[in-house]
Amino acid sequence: MLNHNGRDNVHAIQFKSSSLILLDQRQLPAQENYLHFHDAASVARAITDMVVRGAPAIGIAAAFGIALQARQQIKQPTLNLQAAFKILAASRPTAVNLFWALDKMQSALQAHAHLGVPEQVSLLEETAQGILEDDIAANHKMGELGASLIEHHSQIYTHCNAGALATGGYGTALGVIRSAHRQQKITMVYAGETRPWLQGSRLTAWELMADNIPVTISCEGAAGQLLRQGKVKWIIVGADRISANGDVANKIGTYNLAVLAKHHNVKLMVVAPTSTFDLSLQQGTDIPIEERASQEVTQLQGVQIAPHNCRAINPSFDLTPSELIDAIICERGILQKPFAKNIAALLGG
Ligand code: MRU
């Protein structure tokens, strides 16, 4: 799926002829279906229902949701987008990129309050498109930075999907893997399958296979055995929110991997753009963790796989304390310990 420029060709989010087009990630890899959106409420539903997922992708989709709602009001004397901002902000709680993108849209609007409605609509569409393009550029930068830490002949373990599908394109964790693969440093990528939505086996394996990057699916429980056998050099993951001290909220199961990595002297790299940092939170325990419906655990694609009415927990994310992390890569540079001090120096102020 890499074209001759070395850029990936997955287009999970596109904006064409005033319509937002999302690749329905719930159906991958069986079907490549594209859904069209024209208002904020339907985009919010698509985020909640996992049509589009992954922290940066959620933010980009929400930004376009605001632009779509504005276009609906193009004949009105003034824009009224309060309800649109509210419904999009309520779509998922953990990924801070969502709130960051909505803030950017709000600021763009406030800075251009003097313009007429048609000009404001164009401005909002351009701002959303800018968020998308900046995200792709950040991913390429992080890819190069992260790949510089990877040794030749490395086997990598990744969790969930932090790829082109989860971002504007190229990916965060998968961006590093793509760049390192181009430098011929990678012999195998293990994709943790990632219960309950199977982002690893459905999405990461699909993306990597399309790019001819060697990938092997590992069920979550096999990670310890793989690491014990010395098969993995780096675990590389994305993030949904990073607090000022470098604690990371990411897909449930990341913390398990971080603990395993520490025990087996395997290094842990987190790759996330600056839009994933929340410097208003001192520590990760302040990050809201989404709890999703228990049926996502007790059923598999609509088929009941646990006893009827059995309780199940379904936290969508967990928290990895910064002491278990070796490097955090953002587009501005490589962060290492002490994270609080280095994050403040690179991103503060
Ligand atoms: O529930 P999801 O699929 O939205 O969770 C996604 C993750 O946890 C990713 O690792 C994270 O958002 C980073 S994506 C570049």
Side-chain angles (χ1 to χ4, degrees):
M1 219 171 289
L2 287 186
N3 63 26
H4 60 280
N5 297 320
R7 300 177 82 93
D8 72 278
N9 287 324
V10 179
H11 297 296
I13 306 175
Q14 298 171 74
F15 189 69
K16 280 189 193 154
S17 315
S18 308
S19 152
L20 178 66
I21 306 167
L22 298 176
L23 172 56
D24 187 349
Q25 300 194 27
R26 300 167 304 179
Q27 313 229 10
L28 289 173
Q31 286 176 52
E32 256 180 78
N33 267 352
Y34 291 86
L35 305 177
H36 291 240
F37 297 86
H38 299 99
D39 61 39
S42 60
V43 174
R45 218 165 22 251
I47 294 172
T48 305
D49 293 348
M50 308 282 281
V51 170
V52 57
R53 32 66 49 203
I58 291 171
I60 295 163
F64 279 116
I66 292 296
L68 292 173
Q69 197 61 40
R71 185 157 284 280
Q72 296 275 335
Q73 299 174 12
I74 197 156
K75 297 222 163 79
Q76 307 290 322
T78 54
L79 288 178
N80 182 353
L81 297 172
Q82 268 180 1
F85 277 106
K86 205 166 161 205
I87 194 168
L88 284 161
S91 58
R92 286 191 82 185
T94 304
V96 77
N97 309 61
L98 172 71
F99 308 101
W100 172 89
L102 291 174
D103 279 351
K104 277 209 116 171
M105 297 299 279
Q106 188 80 265
S107 304
L109 199 54
Q110 275 162 7
H112 296 85
H114 57 284
L115 294 181
V117 167
E119 290 76 22
Q120 286 180 327
V121 171
S122 301
L123 169 90
L124 289 172
E125 289 176 350
E126 282 158 24
T127 305
Q129 189 64 35
I131 291 174
L132 169 68
E133 283 162 20
D134 288 352
D135 185 64
I136 299 174
N139 290 341
H140 281 273
K141 182 80 198 151
M142 291 187 288
E144 291 307 308
L145 289 168
S148 72
L149 300 181
I150 311 272
E151 304 84 354
H152 280 278
H153 309 293
S154 289
Q155 303 206 68
I156 308 292
Y157 190 104
T158 189
H159 186 54
C160 193
N161 172 267
L165 291 167
T167 62
Y170 201 68
T172 58
L174 292 197
V176 169
I177 288 170
R178 283 190 162 97
S179 296
H181 180 257
R182 202 171 318 127
Q183 297 167 13
Q184 300 181 327
K185 290 178 164 176
I186 291 190
T187 54
M188 182 54 67
V189 180
Y190 290 98
E193 69 175 347
T194 319
R195 283 277 293 147
W197 274 88
L198 305 176
Q199 290 94 330
S201 51
R202 290 190 306 107
L203 309 179
T204 293
W206 180 78
E207 266 198 58
L208 294 182
M209 286 182 80
D211 277 357
N212 290 318
I213 299 175
V215 58
T216 301
I217 294 167
S218 160
C219 63
E220 251 88 287
Q225 177 71 350
L226 264 180
L227 268 55
R228 197 187 59 73
Q229 290 170 332
K231 293 209 166 147
V232 174
K233 278 247 172 69
W234 279 95
I235 295 175
I236 307 181
V237 296
D240 285 80
R241 202 185 287 219
I242 303 175
S243 56
N245 68 345
D247 292 347
V248 168
N250 190 48
K251 178 53 55 194
I252 190 77
T254 304
Y255 174 56
N256 307 26
L257 291 167
V259 173
L260 278 176
K262 182 57 90 195
H263 186 71
H264 293 289
N265 276 323
V266 170
K267 285 179 276 185
L268 175 61
M269 182 191 299
V270 176
V271 190
T274 47
S275 53
T276 303
F277 287 75
D278 184 350
L279 301 188
S280 75
L281 302 182
Q282 288 314 303
Q283 63 218 0
T285 45
D286 297 333
I287 298 174
I289 300 289
E290 178 182 16
E291 179 79 30
R292 293 183 63 90
S294 62
Q295 287 89 332
E296 290 181 354
V297 174
T298 58
Q299 298 177 357
L300 196 58
Q301 292 178 329
V303 178
Q304 186 74 20
I305 56 168
H308 278 285
N309 300 324
C310 187
R311 281 186 288 267
I313 57 162
N314 189 13
S316 199
F317 303 97
D318 61 22
L319 197 65
T320 298
S322 61
E323 72 237 33
L324 298 179
I325 298 167
D326 292 282
I328 303 178
I329 314 294
C330 70
E331 71 275 27
R332 294 206 204 152
I334 297 174
L335 290 155
Q336 282 164 328
K337 293 188 181 84
F339 285 113
K341 180 165 163 273
N342 292 338
I343 288 172
L346 193 67
L347 306 180

